Amino acid sequence: MSGNTFGKSFTVTTFGESHGLALGCIIDGCPPGLPLTEEDIQVDLDRRKPGQSRFTTQRREDDVVKILSGVFEGKTTGTPIGLLIENTDQRSKDYSNIKDQFRPAHADYTYMHKYGVRDYRGGGRSSARETAMRVAAGAVAKKYLKAVAGIEIRGYLSQLGPIKIESVDWEEVGRNPFFCPDASKVPAMEEFMKALNKEGDSIGAKITVVATGVKPGLGEPIFDRLDAEIAHALMSINAVKGVEIGDGFDVVNQRGTQHRDEITPEGFLSNHAGGILGGISSGQDIVAHIALKPTSSLHIPGRSVDVQGNPVEVITKGRHDPCVGIRATPIAEAMLAMVLIDHLLRNRGQNADVHAGVPVIPSQA
Amino acid sequence: MSGNTFGKSFTVTTFGESHGLALGCIIDGCPPGLPLTEEDIQVDLDRRKPGQSRFTTQRREDDVVKILSGVFEGKTTGTPIGLLIENTDQRSKDYSNIKDQFRPAHADYTYMHKYGVRDYRGGGRSSARETAMRVAAGAVAKKYLKAVAGIEIRGYLSQLGPIKIESVDWEEVGRNPFFCPDASKVPAMEEFMKALNKEGDSIGAKITVVATGVKPGLGEPIFDRLDAEIAHALMSINAVKGVEIGDGFDVVNQRGTQHRDEITPEGFLSNHAGGILGGISSGQDIVAHIALKPTSSLHIPGRSVDVQGNPVEVITKGRHDPCVGIRATPIAEAMLAMVLIDHLLRNRGQNADVHAGVPVIPSQA
Amino acid sequence: MSGNTFGKSFTVTTFGESHGLALGCIIDGCPPGLPLTEEDIQVDLDRRKPGQSRFTTQRREDDVVKILSGVFEGKTTGTPIGLLIENTDQRSKDYSNIKDQFRPAHADYTYMHKYGVRDYRGGGRSSARETAMRVAAGAVAKKYLKAVAGIEIRGYLSQLGPIKIESVDWEEVGRNPFFCPDASKVPAMEEFMKALNKEGDSIGAKITVVATGVKPGLGEPIFDRLDAEIAHALMSINAVKGVEIGDGFDVVNQRGTQHRDEITPEGFLSNHAGGILGGISSGQDIVAHIALKPTSSLHIPGRSVDVQGNPVEVITKGRHDPCVGIRATPIAEAMLAMVLIDHLLRNRGQNADVHAGVPVIPSQA
Amino acid sequence: MSGNTFGKSFTVTTFGESHGLALGCIIDGCPPGLPLTEEDIQVDLDRRKPGQSRFTTQRREDDVVKILSGVFEGKTTGTPIGLLIENTDQRSKDYSNIKDQFRPAHADYTYMHKYGVRDYRGGGRSSARETAMRVAAGAVAKKYLKAVAGIEIRGYLSQLGPIKIESVDWEEVGRNPFFCPDASKVPAMEEFMKALNKEGDSIGAKITVVATGVKPGLGEPIFDRLDAEIAHALMSINAVKGVEIGDGFDVVNQRGTQHRDEITPEGFLSNHAGGILGGISSGQDIVAHIALKPTSSLHIPGRSVDVQGNPVEVITKGRHDPCVGIRATPIAEAMLAMVLIDHLLRNRGQNADVHAGVPVIPSQA
């Protein structure tokens, strides 16, 4: 009810503030028998880690994760998995300048109205640092999905400000700091970010995530559709303002004859639907896109008010991402993984018999 | 867990198939003391009702709602409200042609994989007819929001295929069958739909919904953000493929200086955020947009397979909406209302004291 | 959150007041493919039906149930099952005498404090009439448990006031109006009830419910233990004041050597635990007992206050059960069935592999 | 869904095994502004701590709790509170003797059937050590209830094997290692336990918990009654086999005239109901009793089987409580506190207006 838990069958509950002692989470519902080490989780944390290029915040956190429970002799036991990351770089800087200000486009003002109090150090709970635990929990989900269900979750940056990718080479994604799958666009992105840094401004981005290997029949109809829960999960990431499944907003000007993915015994002829029909997976790739807003922690002054309602000029000093989208790919992957494992476990054992006799159409002809 | 319930504090659980005996729902959590009549609900049902113009399905349902419980002497009692709509136009037509086919872009194939069985009469549970109960429950939510919290929910069609509105006149919305707020676009929409009907094709649409009067401080951070739950609610509507909050996908190419809504004591200077910051309401209008795909029930044949996996050619006969977006405005309003009342009741009594002393910035300068 | 839904995987949501238009419920999560008719449900409703002997209320309700959805061609489809019972004997009697009184030991006073309003006709929502829908939903659960999982749920009256049963003959339970499994006690019960009726007083009772055929491994540890959820379910029945699993309160004065159910390859040597260890089923019979208080609707006057706080003398006229325990056996069975099917579906597919290799100890040596 | 979370508005999720690295929990939903220190929690942990007398296990754990998040400048912020207790006395003893045995009346056999694997070191997750986090979370709940709502939760041992208390002196409870409120019974309890220790056997116990200061109107009707959720909470404690509200099983042989708590303007004349009517608080003391079974870790051999199904003789060596009831009072208090704060927060702001005009009857005349 207070919003710090995600999922029903694979539930992830997180805690921790940007400048508190630690971040942590409890994963409840991970099936027993999954081989799991801290290294499995660390790999994804390192992908999200700040300070890896000059285009992300210079905060230096090692983000070393510890597994406190739920794993015995190298395998999960079915009991809750407690994960912990201690905060090591809680720079005890002076917050007096922003303590009493509502930074524009931040959660300062809304948190004050909700709670009457806020931990102003580094944004407290509203900091993007919270997403570290999403990535940690998502790594467990991804491992299970791949090992047990043959489902793979991957993502990439599909647009950085005005620069759109034109091709997808999965190998390329890990080779540049942008998670960009189109090598030809990387130099332009570097130029763009350098200029932006000089100006002290920030920029938005678009991320695409894809799940391959999802069998048909996963999801629930009506309110808890797979696409609805994916939208929920992705929109819950800091800075996300839009979610699309498949063709997304392009459908507004599509015709039915164009949009409907025709079926042949050899496979679907297209995937405008993004792998979901009636809220349930069709067996095609599940494809989703998100829009991330430009961060509002800028070196360029902006107008706002203080906690007494007086006008102030706000400047954000210190370490910040000029494009939060750059590090968002692993977070989006994590959220998609959480939705899929959650539905997979909810539906566990459900389709065993009914599948018998229903033809399986290949994902793509 | 099976997806037919929405909400946590104001929960709506629905049942009913397109061609079953009845549709119904239970609203649990509506506070006591709200004056409520069947007429209050009927008004919104009539807005969604099919057969009102030649551009929607010609199925004729009176959709007369009955309140079976939870109201005593004209007011809600706090106990569950049971609502019922009997199906009267269950035309006993011959379904033998589609009984064994998977219509492309429909839920036929995915339902078969999930359940191993499906009620093929009119799409069964996956029919858009299911949304009638959303509208009924939403009408109760809207009444409470307006009467008790001063919140008003309204919506309109913002794009029909290639035709985008250019201005919003709320008075105009109710005057045409498209829920179009721009009178100058109505003739073009009529022409477009006539041509489309002739071709037997269908088209997508975009709907905008707006909530005014929401106080700052509503929502939960992290996973159950107000925007995340709005995305969930709107994406759960049949045919929706995209959801945007505020500027939505436009933020991808916005700069921070452009996007951040600056604040003055006289009010916010813009509303790019769509009224939500950090998952919590800012007091500005909450604005969301959705993309609806073109319906797949077409008079133009398409390729598919039957339940044995053999190739077939599918033609949909009978009564269907060539643009499901046209009747979707009341449904989108209903879902937004359900999210807001749910958060309002979850947060009830929560902010009473903390608000004291926190300045309230006007919605718009 | 408002308490009218039970279960997580097999959820039952009910509505309806004693003297409203109808009672109803929605069952969400019943797996597809279960043959289900109205007659299946009616059988259990008839067991609970009032007016069957002079020892229960003389209200006459046929309690005819209608299935409104979720069943197609005689089988469940996996979509929500809507059930409806119209109230036919809403005797429009004069309630002016109790309208403004708080009857002692009733929910009148507490409902007024919670809701500020109450439907005083026949107790409104707090009437035992509400349990009809529990029995209806429980009948569906029982049918599934028996047909699919080989689990049988049965119950009996184990004590009526001072009269305790001394033997259990399952055949006898259906032969007398008390659900008493010990034929030798029936005449004494009849005498006791006749005398009680003459006095205008009421009496408590104890009910026992048993589930046979539950495999080992069902349940969740920690907070959602099988026994904890059974306690929840049974304590939620009107008038219940105590719940025991297995030996219940007798364990207070037992020694460990006496209580521990020793195990041999031939089977468990005793069942003090009532079939549950560490919150998880052991494969032995699950046994629970409940204590039901004497009804407070008496013909003997009692002291109370009215809605203004003035002292009044309360006499309940009209049709009431002198022992609510007499009709409670089907209700207790229904609640136990709901817990078991709920856990069965939550655990569905979970133990498939892990069972392999773990020895199964027979329920009883 | 996997059972490691309690509550809806004040949710407590726990992790940790008896011999793992740490125990922990996340409290989500604690309102902001509550002064909270580690010492507040430590006080209750120390009451439950093992090794305090020769009648409890000799395991020595300091059980030092750390607050990792959710508290800023000495007060709660409304964000999740992370609590951690490191295990320090994980004696690396040899478990080879019980590793392959199913100890009778333990969860060994049922966990194996559920998970196919178990952490056999000290019982793993099924160890009573898990209750430490319940006590920690309960301490936060108790602090809020007392500070904000004026509700006090207290408990005592009401029976130890055959020895029943005959009077309640709240001052006495803290003066003896049994939580016994009747000083005259303490010597007999000491004698009894000494003799029991010599024999190597164990004994059951009965605990009573009481909440004073609960206003009328708290709770939900039907399935989530206050008494049903109390039953759930208390039955979820290790070793509990029975729960009673108010007079509990004594009601079986009570008459209505005897049981109904009559009301006068000066107050209720009795409290047979235990403070709850129709699932909602009446304003009287809430009273509940629980029965705890004798622990099954005995020095006296018992028959069982091993993981291959072969007969074995089981002897438990090492440190164990001969009466788990002795340390259970703080645990029962914690669970009652969790239920009450959860309902209090769910109902927050709900009754504000409706209370106006409804008379409040004093708890006791």
Side-chain angles (χ1 to χ4, degrees), chain D residues 142 145 151-155 209-212 332-334 336-337 340:
Chain D
K142 282 161 80 175
L145 287 171
I151 294 172
E152 191 163 12
I153 312 275
R154 295 179 296 179
V209 279
V210 178
T212 53
E333 290 170 9
L336 180 57
L340 289 176

Side-chain angles (χ1 to χ4, degrees), chain A residues 1-6 8-9 12 14 102 104-107 109-116 125 130 134 159 161-162 192 196 199 201-206 216-217 219-225 227-229 231-232 235-236 238 241-245 248-249 251-257 259-265 268-269 273 276-278 280-282 289-295 298 300-307 309 311 335 346-347 350-351 354-355 357-361, chain B residues 1-6 8-9 12 14 102 104-107 109-116 125 130 134 159 161-162 192 196 199 201-206 216-217 219-225 227-229 231-232 235-236 238 241-245 248-249 251-257 259-265 268-269 273 276-278 280-282 289-295 298 300-307 309 311 335 346-347 350-351 354-355 357-361:
Chain A
M1 284 292 297
S2 301
N4 295 284
T5 297
F6 190 83
K8 293 182 176 176
S9 280
V12 176
T14 72
F102 298 132
H106 274 91
Y109 175 71
T110 58
Y111 266 58
M112 266 320 261
H113 269 287
K114 181 171 177 63
Y115 297 119
R125 182 73 175 149
E130 165 260 322
R134 301 184 183 220
Q159 188 174 342
F192 185 88
L196 195 73
E199 296 171 46
D201 213 336
S202 65
I203 192 73
K206 185 175 172 182
E220 298 295 337
I222 316 302
F223 298 119
D224 294 351
R225 286 158 199 260
D227 38 5
E229 299 214 339
H232 187 147
M235 192 69 93
S236 82
N238 294 34
K241 301 303 287 182
V243 177
E244 296 180 317
I245 305 294
F249 278 87
V251 303
V252 172
N253 196 14
Q254 284 177 355
R255 304 219 161 190
T257 41
H259 179 82
R260 61 174 167 184
D261 299 311
E262 289 183 292
I263 309 172
T264 69
F268 288 89
L269 297 179
I276 301 174
L277 291 171
I280 300 170
S281 67
S282 67
H289 313 281
I290 55 174
L292 291 113
K293 70 176 185 182
T295 177
L298 305 179
I300 301 169
R303 277 168 293 176
S304 191
V305 298
D306 64 16
V307 295
M335 294 312 301
R346 279 192 233 173
N347 285 199
Q350 189 174 300
N351 327 48
V354 307
H355 274 183
V358 182
V360 175
I361 310 301
Chain B
M1 282 293 296
S2 300
N4 295 283
T5 296
F6 189 84
K8 293 182 175 175
S9 280
V12 177
T14 71
F102 299 130
H106 273 92
Y109 175 70
T110 58
Y111 266 58
M112 266 318 263
H113 269 286
K114 181 172 177 63
Y115 297 118
R125 182 73 177 148
E130 165 260 322
R134 301 184 184 221
Q159 189 173 341
F192 186 88
L196 195 73
E199 297 171 45
D201 213 336
S202 64
I203 193 72
K206 184 174 173 183
E220 298 295 336
I222 317 301
F223 298 118
D224 294 351
R225 287 159 198 260
D227 37 7
E229 300 213 340
H232 186 147
M235 193 70 94
S236 82
N238 296 32
K241 301 302 287 183
V243 177
E244 297 181 315
I245 304 294
F249 278 87
V251 303
V252 172
N253 196 13
Q254 283 177 356
R255 304 218 158 188
T257 41
H259 179 82
R260 62 174 166 184
D261 300 309
E262 289 182 293
I263 308 171
T264 68
F268 288 89
L269 296 179
I276 301 175
L277 292 171
I280 300 170
S281 67
S282 67
H289 313 280
I290 55 176
L292 291 113
K293 70 176 185 183
T295 178
L298 306 179
I300 302 168
R303 277 168 291 177
S304 192
V305 298
D306 65 16
V307 296
M335 294 313 298
R346 279 194 232 173
N347 285 200
Q350 189 174 303
N351 327 47
V354 307
H355 274 184
V358 183
V360 176
I361 310 302

Side-chain angles (χ1 to χ4, degrees), chain D residues 219-362:
Chain D
E220 298 296 336
I222 315 303
F223 298 119
D224 293 352
R225 288 160 199 258
L226 198 51
D227 38 6
E229 299 213 339
I230 291 171
H232 187 146
L234 295 176
M235 193 69 94
S236 82
I237 300 171
N238 296 34
V240 173
K241 301 302 287 184
V243 177
E244 296 180 316
I245 305 294
D247 283 1
F249 278 87
D250 286 349
V251 304
V252 172
N253 196 13
Q254 284 177 355
R255 304 217 159 191
T257 41
Q258 176 187 359
H259 179 82
R260 63 174 166 182
D261 300 310
E262 289 183 292
I263 308 171
T264 68
E266 291 72 39
F268 286 89
L269 297 178
S270 54
N271 186 15
H272 298 288
I276 301 174
L277 291 171
I280 300 171
S281 67
S282 67
Q284 292 198 275
D285 282 2
I286 291 178
V287 181
H289 312 280
I290 55 175
L292 292 113
K293 71 175 184 182
T295 177
S296 307
S297 300
L298 305 179
H299 297 228
I300 302 168
R303 278 168 292 177
S304 192
V305 298
D306 64 16
V307 296
Q308 276 82 39
N310 304 313
V312 292
E313 188 172 75
V314 173
I315 301 181
T316 310
K317 285 167 182 161
R319 308 158 298 173
H320 289 284
D321 285 299
C323 176
V324 289
I326 290 178
R327 295 200 289 136
T329 295
I331 307 167
E333 290 170 9
M335 295 311 300
L336 180 57
M338 281 190 220
V339 174
L340 289 176
I341 194 173
D342 193 46
H343 275 277
L344 199 77
L345 296 179
R346 279 193 233 173
N347 285 200
R348 193 167 33 173
Q350 188 173 304
N351 326 48
D353 309 320
V354 306
H355 274 183
V358 183
V360 176
I361 310 301

Side-chain angles (χ1 to χ4, degrees), chain A residues 95-169:
Chain A
Y95 288 97
S96 53
N97 66 319
I98 62 155
K99 181 183 166 182
D100 294 326
Q101 295 184 347
F102 298 132
R103 293 167 298 163
H106 274 91
D108 300 345
Y109 175 71
T110 58
Y111 266 58
M112 266 320 261
H113 269 287
K114 181 171 177 63
Y115 297 119
V117 60
R118 70 190 168 93
D119 178 347
Y120 46 76
R121 302 166 306 164
R125 182 73 175 149
S126 74
S127 164
R129 181 142 181 72
E130 165 260 322
T131 57
M133 292 320 301
R134 301 184 183 220
V135 170
V140 178
K142 282 160 82 175
K143 174 134 201 206
Y144 181 88
L145 288 170
K146 195 162 185 183
V148 177
I151 295 172
E152 191 163 11
I153 312 276
R154 295 179 296 179
Y156 55 78
L157 179 82
S158 38
Q159 188 174 342
L160 176 74
I163 309 164
K164 295 184 197 184
I165 62 157
E166 288 173 275
S167 63
V168 174
D169 172 1

